[in-house]
Amino acid sequence: MGDSDLIIRPAQGEWETRDVKLIPYRQHVEDLSRRFKSVEFRYIPRFHNELVDTLATLASMLPYPGNAHIDPLEIQIRERHGYCNIVEAEPNIQPMYHDIKRFLKTKEYPDQASGEQKRTIRGLASGFFLSGEVLYKRTLDLNLLRCVDAEEAVRIMYEMHAGV
């Protein structure tokens, strides 16, 4: 999806690219497209795409080191949903938010925690909210995300998706 007629329309085969500066871009898009089973290009007018336009403007203001290498994206097709690949119970290992929950509940730090680690836990704890035994992570848009361990995540996914 894009708001540039000069990129999307030639990629769709609707226009020809004659501008010498745009030919390498068109060729690159065609090369990338051959790597996929199916590719669809959609033109979205800029007035319907305000967020992307704003992000592009902000990105253009950031300095970019010309000698930096950016690795290509690796896309894999999986046979099951992504959450199934991530949620795995690890025996006898506390979830990553365990120390934060403990600090919010009892104001105690882990044994052997250094001053820097204590400062980090205090800083991270400010982004969480404890309601009884349930820990929530505050998001920038003022939502609360419930923190769950792997076992509870599997149970929730099973209940929500009825085993699918």
Side-chain angles (χ1 to χ4, degrees):
M1 300 169 114
D3 58 12
S4 173
D5 271 328
L6 296 175
I7 300 296
I8 300 296
R9 302 292 187 195
Q12 291 174 320
E14 295 177 12
W15 292 359
E16 279 187 40
T17 305
R18 293 193 181 131
D19 188 337
V20 176
K21 293 178 283 190
L22 294 177
I23 291 174
Y25 292 108
R26 181 189 48 81
Q27 185 61 47
H28 186 67
V29 168
E30 287 175 2
D31 292 343
L32 288 174
S33 297
R34 286 189 209 107
R35 296 181 182 186
F36 296 93
K37 291 178 184 175
S38 173
V39 175
E40 180 181 337
F41 297 97
R42 288 191 196 160
Y43 171 71
I44 300 174
R46 279 203 179 179
F47 60 88
H48 290 299
N49 210 8
E50 293 173 352
L51 178 61
V52 172
D53 194 36
T54 302
L55 291 173
T57 301
L58 289 172
S60 69
M61 295 177 185
L62 298 174
Y64 175 74
N67 59 353
H69 173 74
I70 300 173
D71 290 326
L73 293 175
E74 181 180 329
I75 300 172
Q76 298 176 358
I77 298 173
R78 300 287 185 164
E79 296 299 320
R80 54 189 193 160
H81 294 288
Y83 62 78
C84 296
N85 294 322
I86 294 172
V87 177
E88 294 180 7
E90 296 182 20
N92 303 323
I93 295 179
Q94 298 292 343
M96 71 78 147
Y97 58 83
H98 174 74
D99 293 334
I100 296 168
K101 185 175 181 179
R102 179 178 170 191
F103 175 77
L104 289 173
K105 197 174 194 179
T106 65
K107 299 295 183 210
E108 294 177 3
Y109 297 100
D111 298 334
Q112 313 299 326
S114 69
E116 182 68 26
Q117 290 168 332
K118 290 177 182 179
R119 223 176 356 268
T120 299
I121 290 172
R122 282 194 307 272
L124 289 172
S126 68
F128 287 81
F129 170 73
L130 187 62
S131 176
E133 289 295 315
V134 180
L135 183 66
Y136 296 94
K137 168 107 174 83
R138 292 185 180 107
T139 64
L140 295 175
D141 56 356
L142 303 178
N143 285 316
L144 296 174
L145 302 175
R146 184 174 177 178
C147 298
V148 296
D149 60 14
E151 185 178 302
E152 189 175 3
V154 169
R155 183 184 56 75
I156 291 169
M157 289 299 167
Y158 184 77
E159 287 176 7
M160 296 297 292
H161 297 285
V164 176

